[in-house]
Amino acid sequence: MSDTKAEAPLLLLSSSPHIASPVGGRVIMAWVLAAIAPAAIFGVALFGIPALLNIVVSIAAAEFAEFAFRKITKQELRNGDLSAAVTGLLLALIIPPGLPLWMTALGSIFAIVVAKEFFGGLGANVFNPALIGRAFLLMSFPAAATTWQNPSFFGAVDAVGAATPLRIIKSGGSLSVLGDSYGAIVKTLFLGTHAGSIGESSIVLILLGFAVLLLKKIIDWRAPVVMTATVFAFSFLLGRDPLAAILSGGVVFGAVFMATDYVSAPVTATGKLIFGFGAGLITVLIRQWGNYPEGVSYGILIMNAATPFLNRLIQKKYGWVQPRKPAAADAAKAGAK
Amino acid sequence: MAVSTFKRGLRLNTRKHATEGFPVELAPLPKQVVIPINQHFGAPNKSLVNVGDKVKRGQRIAEGAAPGPMTVPVHASISGIVKKIENRLQSNNTEGPCIIIEAEEGVSDETDFMPPLDPFACTKEEALQRIRDAGITGMGGAGFPTHVKLSPPPNKPIDVIIADGAECEPYLTTDEALMTEKPDLLIKGLAIVMKLTGVGKAIIGMEDNKAKLIPMLEQELRLGGYGGDISLGLCRTLYPQGSEKLLIKALMGREVPSGGLPMDAGCIVSNVGSLVAIAEAFTLGKPLIDRDLTVSGGACKLPKNIRAPIGTILTDLPPQFMDIDYSKLRKVLFGGPMMGTAVPTLNIPIQKNTSGIILMTEEETWLDAEGPCLRCGRCIRNCSCKLSPVIMNNAIEAGDLDEAVKVGLMDCFECGACTYVCPARIKLTQRFRVGKQRLRLKVQAAQAAQTKAQTAAAPAAPASNAKS
């Protein structure tokens, strides 16, 4: 026999592979938070303390709701995975900066409990929780959820309601309040220094987050790019200003942070393309003929429902061979007999 | 030189630095060897020796129990006396019959090799017989008999032989050491295979982290003078480049059809170690009784490439040659960390297909618990076979094996890339193994039921019912 000391160590047994990528779920969520951060910080700078409070309350309510729900239903606690924080932050960024804090908290709790935990928690929800939270707020408190304010850098908040670019377009007005020339309007839209949600107005900072997520290979380019392109193309076909269409409202924010949501968007490449196209198309249709000035939320939520079907559009595997036709014909013949 | 590659795959931390560029050290002769009598993929062998017999190094000690092509003999790797024939744990974690030979004083230098054979003068049948008699199997992994691989049916024309020197698994550096030290034998082995199969073209494929070997190999090719067109093919260092399917894709741009073998794509792929073994079987008459392997990992104080007789148990080697830090040792792998097997004890012999033994510390491996699937799609993005692991897994969980097969369950060769990248740490590869096994059981049960129904209904019903 060999040396008995060989038997001394307690050896681990498991199925291969025996090494794993250092990028776990938490790391991914942390990168998502980091990618959203610039837009969030800009939102605070633009709209002041109420925006900051809304962000803090939304994240805290989301984490607490997850903790409480899982504790009450005697499930394993998962607060460490940061996914509720992502939902809370996303929700805060797509609501008006002046929304009363208790409404924000309610929306956040609704998002986590109804849209996520009722389905089974992380990874099991069908719809994007943050968007469900926003839809809930829009239905329950229509006035408050559509009261916007003008930006004022670190200054006192202007409590007087202001019109967002989309509201102006919807009511047939001209965007010239944003700037004198077309170039100035586009610049204002691009930088985001206009009335709107806390975090979805500054296109340049959202694109910065997009670049981070792409570089870290956390998201795929397909859904965001196709969604934005679709909004651009269909706005053009409907005779709207296509550039203003993608720069105003939540198109870019939704495309980058919502249409790429792991859980509620398709996992397959083809599915992502169709998802982006569908979400973009529905957005334009709602903006054109719907009641709301903005359609991104519903565009993405409706496509979320299609995700299970889109996941069936799998790629052709390595060594894929065309099913043999004669055999199929034979089978059909045999069946006919 | 152009670097070819395939799409997707992983850029792993190769962890090869511990033994990269090290020469192959000859292990001191062990006092005993434990030789499993079945080391190939195919019909089982039976022992040719009895307890108490005296055997010489190179002597045939086990042979196919029934005549058939899918067996290869096993040889004594040291001279000595057969002490026991009993079931022992092997590196695939199953018990199997092993012949235990103890070295004897004074006879240890006696050998019983075959006479050398000129591969370029003998007939094809003689050459295939020699490769079988030498007990050569694929040294990369599955242990497929090499002589079977080298005699494809006439309806599968082969136009290229690929020497697989990719060595994409982390830690392992044996193939590189082999190509550095025995390029002449590697090229000779290739020339023999080309002559034997009548194929005019061959490529030595390797990852570009071994690019430094190119000038030396090119010079060897010029000196060799075996005729035929042997070239070097450099592939990107990308896991799992060493898989024959992906090596064919990278070097030839061809895909092996689903459910097929490399010969269906006109290729024969052979590990460089097997090719060197072939060359030695002809020039020296030496059967496959020694194995080059890497011993590495954090719990190995002296990581190195070694050559040891098959049947050697690592702990039988003297500590000045093989020093193991037992306090840190938490996992022992036979093979690399991506596809290798974790074994419960070090008391397991080196086999023909053991490319390395990795002694891992707790920090080197991972112990995270599974979380819920985030549906991030990383497993899909990184599957080099373009399968959809998350969808396969969902289908298996739902008990829908037909759906799992449709999305590629049987095309998965268990490279582990999906499991490596999964942020939720879901053991996808393991689930697919279980899924395949469940499918096998289901097919067996269906066949058994059909046979039973047929025998029961045979006198009454006509054969047309059998189709349903």
Side-chain angles (χ1 to χ4, degrees), chain A residues 1-2 7 10-21 25 122-123 125 217 262-263 267 311 314-315 317-319, chain B residues 8 245 255-256 258 316 330-331 337 340 342 345 347 365-366 373-375 381 385-387 391 407 411 420 423 425 433:
Chain A
M1 281 303 283
S2 66
E7 311 295 333
L10 200 63
L11 295 178
L12 298 167
L13 279 179
S14 70
S15 179
S16 67
H18 305 284
I19 51 177
S21 151
L122 179 65
N125 49 298
K217 294 193 174 170
Y262 284 162
V263 179
V267 289
N311 275 340
I314 57 166
Q315 58 203 339
K317 61 198 182 193
Y318 173 101
Chain B
R8 297 175 169 81
K245 281 184 172 183
E255 292 189 357
V256 178
S258 178
D316 286 346
R330 289 309 305 278
K331 203 173 203 180
T345 160
N347 193 17
T365 182
W366 57 292
C373 172
L374 302 174
R375 294 193 250 163
R381 279 209 314 256
C385 267
K386 294 192 269 182
L387 308 181
I391 295 171
V407 294
D411 294 279
Y420 177 88
R425 307 305 190 206
R433 284 198 189 102

Short mmCIF file of all heavy atoms in Angstrom, two decimals, chain A residues 1-2 7 10-21 25 122-123 125 217 262-263 267 311 314-315 317-319, chain B residues 8 245 255-256 258 316 330-331 337 340 342 345 347 365-366 373-375 381 385-387 391 407 411 420 423 425 433:
data_model
loop_
_atom_site.label_atom_id
_atom_site.label_comp_id
_atom_site.label_asym_id
_atom_site.label_seq_id
_atom_site.Cartn_x
_atom_site.Cartn_y
_atom_site.Cartn_z
N MET A 1 0.84 -1.21 0.00
CA MET A 1 0.00 0.00 0.00
C MET A 1 0.86 1.24 0.00
O MET A 1 1.98 1.24 0.48
CB MET A 1 -0.90 0.03 1.24
CG MET A 1 -2.13 -0.86 1.16
SD MET A 1 -3.18 -0.51 -0.23
CE MET A 1 -4.01 0.96 0.36
N SER A 2 0.28 2.27 -0.48
CA SER A 2 1.03 3.52 -0.50
C SER A 2 0.96 4.17 0.88
O SER A 2 0.28 3.70 1.78
CB SER A 2 0.43 4.46 -1.54
OG SER A 2 -0.86 4.82 -1.12
N GLU A 7 -4.02 9.54 2.88
CA GLU A 7 -5.45 9.51 3.20
C GLU A 7 -5.81 10.61 4.19
O GLU A 7 -6.98 10.85 4.44
CB GLU A 7 -5.81 8.15 3.80
CG GLU A 7 -5.30 6.94 3.01
CD GLU A 7 -5.94 6.84 1.64
OE1 GLU A 7 -7.07 7.32 1.49
OE2 GLU A 7 -5.29 6.30 0.73
N LEU A 10 -8.71 15.81 3.98
CA LEU A 10 -10.10 15.63 3.60
C LEU A 10 -10.27 16.29 2.23
O LEU A 10 -10.19 17.50 2.11
CB LEU A 10 -10.98 16.31 4.65
CG LEU A 10 -12.42 15.86 4.69
CD1 LEU A 10 -12.51 14.39 5.05
CD2 LEU A 10 -13.20 16.69 5.67
N LEU A 11 -10.46 15.48 1.22
CA LEU A 11 -10.46 16.03 -0.14
C LEU A 11 -11.87 16.36 -0.61
O LEU A 11 -12.81 15.64 -0.31
CB LEU A 11 -9.81 15.03 -1.10
CG LEU A 11 -8.33 14.77 -0.84
CD1 LEU A 11 -7.81 13.73 -1.81
CD2 LEU A 11 -7.53 16.05 -0.96
N LEU A 12 -11.96 17.46 -1.32
CA LEU A 12 -13.24 17.88 -1.88
C LEU A 12 -13.50 17.11 -3.15
O LEU A 12 -12.58 16.85 -3.93
CB LEU A 12 -13.20 19.37 -2.22
CG LEU A 12 -12.99 20.32 -1.05
CD1 LEU A 12 -12.67 21.70 -1.59
CD2 LEU A 12 -14.25 20.38 -0.21
N LEU A 13 -14.75 16.76 -3.36
CA LEU A 13 -15.13 16.10 -4.61
C LEU A 13 -16.21 16.92 -5.27
O LEU A 13 -17.12 17.42 -4.61
CB LEU A 13 -15.68 14.71 -4.33
CG LEU A 13 -14.68 13.61 -4.09
CD1 LEU A 13 -15.40 12.31 -3.81
CD2 LEU A 13 -13.76 13.43 -5.28
N SER A 14 -16.10 17.11 -6.56
CA SER A 14 -17.19 17.76 -7.28
C SER A 14 -17.00 17.47 -8.75
O SER A 14 -15.98 16.98 -9.18
CB SER A 14 -17.18 19.26 -7.03
OG SER A 14 -16.07 19.85 -7.67
N SER A 15 -18.04 17.83 -9.50
CA SER A 15 -18.00 17.62 -10.93
C SER A 15 -17.20 18.77 -11.56
O SER A 15 -17.17 19.87 -11.02
CB SER A 15 -19.44 17.62 -11.43
OG SER A 15 -19.50 17.44 -12.80
N SER A 16 -16.55 18.51 -12.70
CA SER A 16 -15.79 19.55 -13.37
C SER A 16 -16.75 20.62 -13.90
O SER A 16 -17.92 20.32 -14.11
CB SER A 16 -14.98 18.96 -14.50
OG SER A 16 -15.83 18.49 -15.52
N PRO A 17 -16.34 21.82 -14.19
CA PRO A 17 -15.00 22.38 -14.00
C PRO A 17 -14.71 22.72 -12.54
O PRO A 17 -15.64 22.92 -11.76
CB PRO A 17 -15.03 23.65 -14.84
CG PRO A 17 -16.45 24.07 -14.82
CD PRO A 17 -17.24 22.81 -14.81
N HIS A 18 -13.42 22.78 -12.23
CA HIS A 18 -13.01 22.98 -10.84
C HIS A 18 -12.53 24.41 -10.58
O HIS A 18 -12.07 24.71 -9.49
CB HIS A 18 -11.92 21.97 -10.49
CG HIS A 18 -12.36 20.56 -10.75
ND1 HIS A 18 -13.21 19.89 -9.91
CD2 HIS A 18 -12.12 19.72 -11.78
CE1 HIS A 18 -13.46 18.69 -10.41
NE2 HIS A 18 -12.81 18.56 -11.55
N ILE A 19 -12.61 25.25 -11.59
CA ILE A 19 -12.30 26.66 -11.40
C ILE A 19 -13.48 27.46 -11.95
O ILE A 19 -14.26 26.96 -12.75
CB ILE A 19 -10.98 27.08 -12.11
CG1 ILE A 19 -11.00 26.64 -13.57
CG2 ILE A 19 -9.79 26.49 -11.39
CD1 ILE A 19 -9.78 27.09 -14.36
N ALA A 20 -13.61 28.70 -11.49
CA ALA A 20 -14.73 29.52 -11.94
C ALA A 20 -14.28 30.95 -12.15
O ALA A 20 -13.31 31.40 -11.55
CB ALA A 20 -15.87 29.46 -10.92
N SER A 21 -14.99 31.61 -13.01
CA SER A 21 -14.70 33.01 -13.29
C SER A 21 -14.85 33.84 -12.02
O SER A 21 -15.75 33.60 -11.22
CB SER A 21 -15.68 33.49 -14.36
OG SER A 21 -15.92 34.86 -14.20
N GLY A 25 -22.41 37.02 -9.39
CA GLY A 25 -23.61 37.86 -9.50
C GLY A 25 -23.44 39.23 -8.85
O GLY A 25 -23.84 40.25 -9.40
N LEU A 122 -35.41 36.84 -7.41
CA LEU A 122 -34.41 37.11 -8.44
C LEU A 122 -34.36 36.00 -9.49
O LEU A 122 -34.31 34.82 -9.17
CB LEU A 122 -33.03 37.24 -7.77
CG LEU A 122 -31.86 37.50 -8.71
CD1 LEU A 122 -32.00 38.84 -9.39
CD2 LEU A 122 -30.55 37.41 -7.96
N GLY A 123 -34.43 36.40 -10.73
CA GLY A 123 -34.28 35.44 -11.81
C GLY A 123 -35.58 34.84 -12.26
O GLY A 123 -35.63 34.18 -13.29
N ASN A 125 -38.73 36.66 -12.20
CA ASN A 125 -39.79 37.61 -12.57
C ASN A 125 -39.92 37.73 -14.08
O ASN A 125 -38.95 37.63 -14.82
CB ASN A 125 -39.52 38.97 -11.93
CG ASN A 125 -38.12 39.45 -12.17
OD1 ASN A 125 -37.17 38.81 -11.72
ND2 ASN A 125 -37.97 40.54 -12.87
N LYS A 217 -18.37 43.63 -20.61
CA LYS A 217 -19.12 42.50 -21.18
C LYS A 217 -20.29 42.08 -20.29
O LYS A 217 -20.58 40.91 -20.14
CB LYS A 217 -18.20 41.31 -21.45
CG LYS A 217 -17.18 41.63 -22.52
CD LYS A 217 -16.49 40.38 -23.00
CE LYS A 217 -15.59 40.72 -24.18
NZ LYS A 217 -14.73 39.65 -24.57
N TYR A 262 -31.27 41.41 -17.39
CA TYR A 262 -31.04 39.98 -17.62
C TYR A 262 -32.31 39.16 -17.53
O TYR A 262 -32.61 38.34 -18.38
CB TYR A 262 -30.09 39.45 -16.54
CG TYR A 262 -28.65 39.82 -16.72
CD1 TYR A 262 -27.77 39.73 -15.65
CD2 TYR A 262 -28.15 40.22 -17.96
CE1 TYR A 262 -26.43 40.04 -15.80
CE2 TYR A 262 -26.83 40.53 -18.11
CZ TYR A 262 -25.96 40.44 -17.03
OH TYR A 262 -24.65 40.73 -17.17
N VAL A 263 -33.05 39.40 -16.45
CA VAL A 263 -34.11 38.46 -16.10
C VAL A 263 -35.29 38.55 -17.04
O VAL A 263 -35.84 37.55 -17.48
CB VAL A 263 -34.54 38.70 -14.65
CG1 VAL A 263 -35.66 37.75 -14.27
CG2 VAL A 263 -33.36 38.51 -13.71
N VAL A 267 -32.57 35.76 -23.66
CA VAL A 267 -31.16 35.40 -23.52
C VAL A 267 -30.50 35.14 -24.87
O VAL A 267 -29.29 35.12 -24.97
CB VAL A 267 -30.97 34.14 -22.64
CG1 VAL A 267 -31.26 34.44 -21.20
CG2 VAL A 267 -31.83 33.00 -23.13
N ASN A 311 -37.09 33.48 -26.48
CA ASN A 311 -36.01 32.59 -26.05
C ASN A 311 -35.98 31.29 -26.83
O ASN A 311 -35.04 30.50 -26.71
CB ASN A 311 -36.16 32.27 -24.56
CG ASN A 311 -35.52 33.33 -23.70
OD1 ASN A 311 -34.68 34.09 -24.18
ND2 ASN A 311 -35.91 33.39 -22.46
N ILE A 314 -33.25 30.07 -30.89
CA ILE A 314 -31.86 29.78 -30.57
C ILE A 314 -31.02 29.73 -31.84
O ILE A 314 -31.53 29.53 -32.94
CB ILE A 314 -31.70 28.46 -29.79
CG1 ILE A 314 -32.31 27.31 -30.57
CG2 ILE A 314 -32.35 28.58 -28.42
CD1 ILE A 314 -31.91 25.97 -30.04
N GLN A 315 -29.72 29.91 -31.64
CA GLN A 315 -28.79 29.91 -32.77
C GLN A 315 -28.60 28.49 -33.29
O GLN A 315 -28.86 27.52 -32.62
CB GLN A 315 -27.47 30.49 -32.30
CG GLN A 315 -26.88 29.69 -31.13
CD GLN A 315 -25.92 30.49 -30.30
OE1 GLN A 315 -25.38 31.47 -30.74
NE2 GLN A 315 -25.70 30.05 -29.07
N LYS A 317 -26.54 25.44 -33.82
CA LYS A 317 -25.40 24.95 -33.06
C LYS A 317 -24.26 24.50 -33.98
O LYS A 317 -24.48 24.31 -35.19
CB LYS A 317 -25.83 23.80 -32.15
CG LYS A 317 -26.39 22.61 -32.89
CD LYS A 317 -27.18 21.72 -31.95
CE LYS A 317 -27.68 20.50 -32.71
NZ LYS A 317 -28.70 19.75 -31.97
N TYR A 318 -23.09 24.32 -33.37
CA TYR A 318 -21.92 23.81 -34.10
C TYR A 318 -22.28 22.47 -34.72
O TYR A 318 -22.90 21.62 -34.08
CB TYR A 318 -20.76 23.62 -33.11
CG TYR A 318 -19.53 22.94 -33.67
CD1 TYR A 318 -18.43 23.68 -34.04
CD2 TYR A 318 -19.48 21.55 -33.81
CE1 TYR A 318 -17.29 23.06 -34.55
CE2 TYR A 318 -18.36 20.93 -34.33
CZ TYR A 318 -17.26 21.69 -34.68
OH TYR A 318 -16.14 21.08 -35.19
N GLY A 319 -21.90 22.30 -35.98
CA GLY A 319 -22.14 21.01 -36.65
C GLY A 319 -23.59 20.77 -36.98
O GLY A 319 -24.00 19.63 -37.18
N ARG B 8 -16.29 32.61 -29.91
CA ARG B 8 -16.63 32.39 -28.50
C ARG B 8 -15.45 31.74 -27.76
O ARG B 8 -14.32 31.93 -28.15
CB ARG B 8 -17.91 31.57 -28.37
CG ARG B 8 -19.11 32.27 -28.96
CD ARG B 8 -20.33 31.37 -28.93
NE ARG B 8 -21.53 32.11 -29.25
CZ ARG B 8 -21.90 32.41 -30.48
NH1 ARG B 8 -21.18 32.02 -31.49
NH2 ARG B 8 -23.00 33.07 -30.70
N LYS B 245 -13.06 19.00 -32.02
CA LYS B 245 -14.06 19.67 -32.85
C LYS B 245 -13.66 21.10 -33.14
O LYS B 245 -13.80 21.60 -34.27
CB LYS B 245 -15.41 19.68 -32.13
CG LYS B 245 -16.17 18.38 -32.20
CD LYS B 245 -17.51 18.56 -31.54
CE LYS B 245 -18.38 17.33 -31.76
NZ LYS B 245 -19.71 17.52 -31.18
N GLU B 255 -16.79 22.05 -39.76
CA GLU B 255 -17.47 21.62 -38.55
C GLU B 255 -17.77 20.13 -38.65
O GLU B 255 -18.19 19.65 -39.69
CB GLU B 255 -18.77 22.40 -38.34
CG GLU B 255 -18.51 23.86 -38.04
CD GLU B 255 -19.75 24.63 -37.61
OE1 GLU B 255 -20.84 24.03 -37.61
OE2 GLU B 255 -19.61 25.81 -37.28
N VAL B 256 -17.54 19.43 -37.56
CA VAL B 256 -17.91 18.03 -37.50
C VAL B 256 -19.42 17.98 -37.36
O VAL B 256 -19.97 18.60 -36.45
CB VAL B 256 -17.25 17.34 -36.29
CG1 VAL B 256 -17.66 15.89 -36.21
CG2 VAL B 256 -15.74 17.47 -36.36
N SER B 258 -23.17 17.29 -36.39
CA SER B 258 -23.75 16.89 -35.11
C SER B 258 -23.87 15.37 -35.02
O SER B 258 -24.42 14.73 -35.93
CB SER B 258 -25.13 17.53 -34.98
OG SER B 258 -25.74 17.15 -33.81
N ASP B 316 3.91 7.22 -3.90
CA ASP B 316 5.01 6.26 -3.85
C ASP B 316 6.32 6.89 -4.28
O ASP B 316 7.38 6.28 -4.11
CB ASP B 316 4.71 5.05 -4.77
CG ASP B 316 3.65 4.15 -4.16
OD1 ASP B 316 3.37 4.31 -2.96
OD2 ASP B 316 3.11 3.30 -4.89
N ARG B 330 -6.61 20.42 -0.79
CA ARG B 330 -8.05 20.27 -0.60
C ARG B 330 -8.72 19.53 -1.74
O ARG B 330 -9.83 19.05 -1.63
CB ARG B 330 -8.72 21.63 -0.42
CG ARG B 330 -8.43 22.33 0.88
CD ARG B 330 -8.68 21.47 2.12
NE ARG B 330 -10.01 20.90 2.20
CZ ARG B 330 -11.06 21.56 2.66
NH1 ARG B 330 -10.95 22.79 3.08
NH2 ARG B 330 -12.23 20.99 2.71
N LYS B 331 -8.06 19.47 -2.89
CA LYS B 331 -8.70 18.81 -4.03
C LYS B 331 -7.62 18.21 -4.92
O LYS B 331 -6.62 18.87 -5.19
CB LYS B 331 -9.51 19.85 -4.81
CG LYS B 331 -10.63 19.28 -5.63
CD LYS B 331 -11.47 20.41 -6.22
CE LYS B 331 -12.85 19.93 -6.56
NZ LYS B 331 -13.68 20.99 -7.11
N PRO B 337 -8.18 21.41 -14.72
CA PRO B 337 -9.27 21.89 -13.86
C PRO B 337 -10.59 22.12 -14.59
O PRO B 337 -11.62 22.25 -13.95
CB PRO B 337 -8.72 23.21 -13.31
CG PRO B 337 -7.72 23.65 -14.31
CD PRO B 337 -7.13 22.41 -14.90
N GLY B 340 -11.08 17.80 -15.91
CA GLY B 340 -10.52 16.69 -15.14
C GLY B 340 -11.48 16.19 -14.07
O GLY B 340 -12.52 16.77 -13.81
N ALA B 342 -12.17 15.10 -10.11
CA ALA B 342 -11.73 15.20 -8.72
C ALA B 342 -11.80 13.81 -8.11
O ALA B 342 -12.80 13.11 -8.29
CB ALA B 342 -12.62 16.17 -7.96
N THR B 345 -8.92 10.37 -3.15
CA THR B 345 -7.69 9.96 -2.50
C THR B 345 -6.53 10.09 -3.47
O THR B 345 -6.73 10.08 -4.69
CB THR B 345 -7.81 8.50 -1.99
OG1 THR B 345 -6.50 7.99 -1.79
CG2 THR B 345 -8.53 7.62 -2.97
N ASN B 347 -4.35 7.85 -3.64
CA ASN B 347 -3.96 6.45 -3.86
C ASN B 347 -4.57 5.91 -5.15
O ASN B 347 -5.24 4.89 -5.15
CB ASN B 347 -4.41 5.64 -2.64
CG ASN B 347 -3.80 4.27 -2.63
OD1 ASN B 347 -2.82 4.02 -3.33
ND2 ASN B 347 -4.37 3.38 -1.84
N THR B 365 -9.56 26.50 -6.02
CA THR B 365 -10.81 25.96 -6.53
C THR B 365 -11.94 26.88 -6.08
O THR B 365 -11.68 28.00 -5.68
CB THR B 365 -10.98 24.50 -6.06
OG1 THR B 365 -12.18 24.00 -6.62
CG2 THR B 365 -11.04 24.39 -4.55
N TRP B 366 -13.16 26.48 -6.17
CA TRP B 366 -14.25 27.34 -5.71
C TRP B 366 -15.30 26.51 -5.00
O TRP B 366 -15.50 25.34 -5.29
CB TRP B 366 -14.87 28.12 -6.86
CG TRP B 366 -15.38 27.28 -7.97
CD1 TRP B 366 -14.62 26.53 -8.81
CD2 TRP B 366 -16.73 27.04 -8.36
NE1 TRP B 366 -15.42 25.86 -9.69
CE2 TRP B 366 -16.72 26.16 -9.45
CE3 TRP B 366 -17.96 27.52 -7.90
CZ2 TRP B 366 -17.87 25.73 -10.07
CZ3 TRP B 366 -19.12 27.09 -8.54
CH2 TRP B 366 -19.07 26.21 -9.60
N CYS B 373 -30.68 31.45 -11.28
CA CYS B 373 -30.22 31.85 -12.61
C CYS B 373 -30.66 33.29 -12.88
O CYS B 373 -31.81 33.65 -12.69
CB CYS B 373 -30.82 30.93 -13.67
SG CYS B 373 -30.49 31.46 -15.34
N LEU B 374 -29.71 34.12 -13.30
CA LEU B 374 -30.04 35.52 -13.61
C LEU B 374 -30.50 35.69 -15.04
O LEU B 374 -30.85 36.78 -15.47
CB LEU B 374 -28.80 36.40 -13.41
CG LEU B 374 -28.14 36.40 -12.04
CD1 LEU B 374 -26.86 37.20 -12.09
CD2 LEU B 374 -29.09 37.01 -11.03
N ARG B 375 -30.40 34.62 -15.80
CA ARG B 375 -30.69 34.66 -17.25
C ARG B 375 -29.84 35.71 -17.96
O ARG B 375 -30.32 36.46 -18.80
CB ARG B 375 -32.18 34.90 -17.48
CG ARG B 375 -33.01 33.72 -16.99
CD ARG B 375 -34.41 33.79 -17.50
NE ARG B 375 -35.36 34.08 -16.45
CZ ARG B 375 -36.59 34.51 -16.67
NH1 ARG B 375 -37.01 34.71 -17.89
NH2 ARG B 375 -37.41 34.73 -15.68
N ARG B 381 -23.29 33.00 -24.61
CA ARG B 381 -22.26 33.79 -25.28
C ARG B 381 -20.92 33.07 -25.32
O ARG B 381 -20.12 33.31 -26.21
CB ARG B 381 -22.06 35.12 -24.53
CG ARG B 381 -23.07 36.17 -24.86
CD ARG B 381 -22.51 37.58 -24.71
NE ARG B 381 -21.76 37.85 -23.51
CZ ARG B 381 -22.24 38.56 -22.47
NH1 ARG B 381 -23.45 39.01 -22.50
NH2 ARG B 381 -21.48 38.80 -21.43
N CYS B 385 -19.63 25.69 -28.89
CA CYS B 385 -20.43 24.86 -29.80
C CYS B 385 -21.75 25.55 -30.15
O CYS B 385 -22.62 24.94 -30.76
CB CYS B 385 -20.72 23.50 -29.16
SG CYS B 385 -19.51 22.28 -29.63
N LYS B 386 -21.89 26.78 -29.74
CA LYS B 386 -23.09 27.57 -30.02
C LYS B 386 -24.35 26.89 -29.50
O LYS B 386 -25.40 26.93 -30.14
CB LYS B 386 -23.21 27.88 -31.52
CG LYS B 386 -22.09 28.78 -32.00
CD LYS B 386 -22.36 29.30 -33.39
CE LYS B 386 -21.76 28.39 -34.42
NZ LYS B 386 -21.96 28.85 -35.78
N LEU B 387 -24.24 26.23 -28.37
CA LEU B 387 -25.42 25.65 -27.74
C LEU B 387 -26.04 26.72 -26.83
O LEU B 387 -25.49 27.80 -26.66
CB LEU B 387 -25.04 24.42 -26.93
CG LEU B 387 -24.22 23.35 -27.66
CD1 LEU B 387 -23.93 22.19 -26.75
CD2 LEU B 387 -24.93 22.87 -28.90
N ILE B 391 -31.07 27.25 -21.66
CA ILE B 391 -32.33 26.70 -22.17
C ILE B 391 -32.32 25.17 -22.03
O ILE B 391 -33.32 24.56 -21.65
CB ILE B 391 -32.54 27.16 -23.61
CG1 ILE B 391 -32.72 28.69 -23.61
CG2 ILE B 391 -33.75 26.49 -24.23
CD1 ILE B 391 -32.74 29.33 -24.96
N VAL B 407 -32.18 21.36 -28.37
CA VAL B 407 -31.32 22.53 -28.26
C VAL B 407 -29.86 22.14 -28.03
O VAL B 407 -29.03 23.03 -27.83
CB VAL B 407 -31.80 23.53 -27.19
CG1 VAL B 407 -33.11 24.15 -27.58
CG2 VAL B 407 -31.90 22.88 -25.83
N ASP B 411 -24.89 17.35 -28.13
CA ASP B 411 -23.75 17.97 -28.80
C ASP B 411 -22.76 18.55 -27.79
O ASP B 411 -21.66 18.95 -28.16
CB ASP B 411 -24.23 19.09 -29.72
CG ASP B 411 -25.05 18.56 -30.88
OD1 ASP B 411 -24.44 18.10 -31.84
OD2 ASP B 411 -26.29 18.58 -30.80
N TYR B 420 -18.08 27.70 -15.89
CA TYR B 420 -17.01 28.61 -15.48
C TYR B 420 -17.52 30.05 -15.44
O TYR B 420 -17.22 30.79 -14.52
CB TYR B 420 -15.83 28.49 -16.45
CG TYR B 420 -14.70 29.45 -16.15
CD1 TYR B 420 -13.69 29.12 -15.26
CD2 TYR B 420 -14.65 30.71 -16.76
CE1 TYR B 420 -12.67 29.99 -14.98
CE2 TYR B 420 -13.63 31.59 -16.48
CZ TYR B 420 -12.64 31.22 -15.58
OH TYR B 420 -11.64 32.11 -15.30
N PRO B 423 -22.45 33.43 -13.39
CA PRO B 423 -22.32 34.24 -12.19
C PRO B 423 -23.13 33.69 -11.03
O PRO B 423 -22.83 33.98 -9.88
CB PRO B 423 -22.83 35.62 -12.62
CG PRO B 423 -23.65 35.38 -13.81
CD PRO B 423 -23.18 34.13 -14.46
N ARG B 425 -23.22 30.59 -10.39
CA ARG B 425 -22.49 29.37 -10.00
C ARG B 425 -23.33 28.10 -10.17
O ARG B 425 -23.20 27.15 -9.38
CB ARG B 425 -21.99 29.46 -8.55
CG ARG B 425 -21.18 30.69 -8.22
CD ARG B 425 -20.03 30.84 -9.16
NE ARG B 425 -19.11 31.89 -8.73
CZ ARG B 425 -18.32 32.55 -9.58
NH1 ARG B 425 -18.37 32.30 -10.87
NH2 ARG B 425 -17.48 33.46 -9.15
N ARG B 433 -24.50 16.30 -17.66
CA ARG B 433 -24.10 14.89 -17.51
C ARG B 433 -25.27 14.07 -17.01
O ARG B 433 -25.56 12.99 -17.52
CB ARG B 433 -22.94 14.78 -16.51
CG ARG B 433 -21.65 15.22 -17.08
CD ARG B 433 -20.48 14.69 -16.24
NE ARG B 433 -19.29 15.33 -16.73
CZ ARG B 433 -18.69 16.35 -16.13
NH1 ARG B 433 -19.11 16.78 -14.97
NH2 ARG B 433 -17.64 16.91 -16.67
#
